[in-house]
Amino acid sequence: MTLAWDKETFPGGLRDRGDLLEAPARGAFTSYGSYYMGLFTFAAIKAAREGKAGQARQMLENDLDGVLNYAKENRDAVKYWWSATTDAVQAFLGKNVVAGSLHGNGLLAPVRDKKPLEFIIPERDRACVQLFFLVPKGSKNKDVAEAALDHITGSTFQ
């Protein structure tokens, strides 16, 4: 999961997820709508803002109620909860959001195409989302599906 931002809004970039609660990101950022990652994002924000970057996981394990309350108190800071990476990228490209947490693979093409987006993988409180791709047995277009997987995992796309 990356921390992404609009380069025109943040010419100096963002440091960590704690910046998401500062203007102009507050109320204009996006986060994964999946419960586990949305909550982790708030744990990482909380950790960064409390000078405890790198402790988001421990906060979730040892003070889940505190993280839940923090997320509840700051939920208005999220403008758009995305469910698919392409939705988050389109929110950026449409200027509907200015920052956020999303899958980095969705940003590769827009950055390559010189769109005003930048992203980092924060050094602390890193989060990975495992994606699974499969071709069901008996698929009618197995060759097309396998070609798509070859493309997605190939060096040109990556």
Side-chain angles (χ1 to χ4, degrees):
M1 296 297 288
T2 63
L3 174 62
W5 59 89
D6 175 79
K7 288 177 15 177
E8 294 166 351
T9 305
F10 300 98
L14 298 179
R15 297 176 315 244
D16 56 41
R17 288 187 178 92
D19 291 338
L20 294 174
L21 291 189
E22 297 293 328
R26 185 178 182 90
F29 81 85
T30 188
S31 185
Y32 197 4
S34 179
Y35 178 74
Y36 71 94
M37 195 60 229
L39 189 58
F40 182 84
T41 298
F42 273 109
I45 291 170
K46 184 177 190 303
R49 294 184 64 83
E50 293 178 359
K52 299 176 181 175
Q55 296 180 32
R57 179 180 173 179
Q58 290 83 356
M59 287 180 165
L60 286 167
E61 290 175 352
N62 300 325
D63 186 22
L64 180 59
D65 286 341
V67 175
L68 286 167
N69 286 330
Y70 189 82
K72 183 178 177 182
E73 292 166 6
N74 290 287
R75 66 182 171 215
D76 65 318
V78 180
K79 182 175 185 180
Y80 180 62
W81 294 95
W82 57 271
S83 59
T85 306
T86 53
D87 294 337
V89 172
Q90 289 305 313
F92 270 101
L93 296 177
K95 303 288 186 184
N96 295 319
V97 298
V98 297
S101 186
L102 66 146
H103 299 132
N105 63 331
L107 295 167
L108 297 175
V111 168
R112 182 188 62 227
D113 294 341
K114 307 281 191 249
K115 301 297 182 190
L117 300 174
E118 188 63 63
F119 65 96
I120 60 169
I121 300 171
E123 286 194 38
R124 295 180 158 176
D125 294 318
R126 289 187 174 184
C128 298
V129 176
Q130 182 65 50
L131 303 175
F132 292 92
F133 298 101
L134 60 94
V135 180
K137 184 177 181 178
S139 293
K140 293 179 182 178
N141 296 313
K142 181 179 176 184
D143 57 334
V144 174
E146 288 176 346
L149 290 175
D150 287 344
H151 173 71
I152 290 169
T153 58
S155 61
T156 303
F157 185 84
Q158 293 294 323

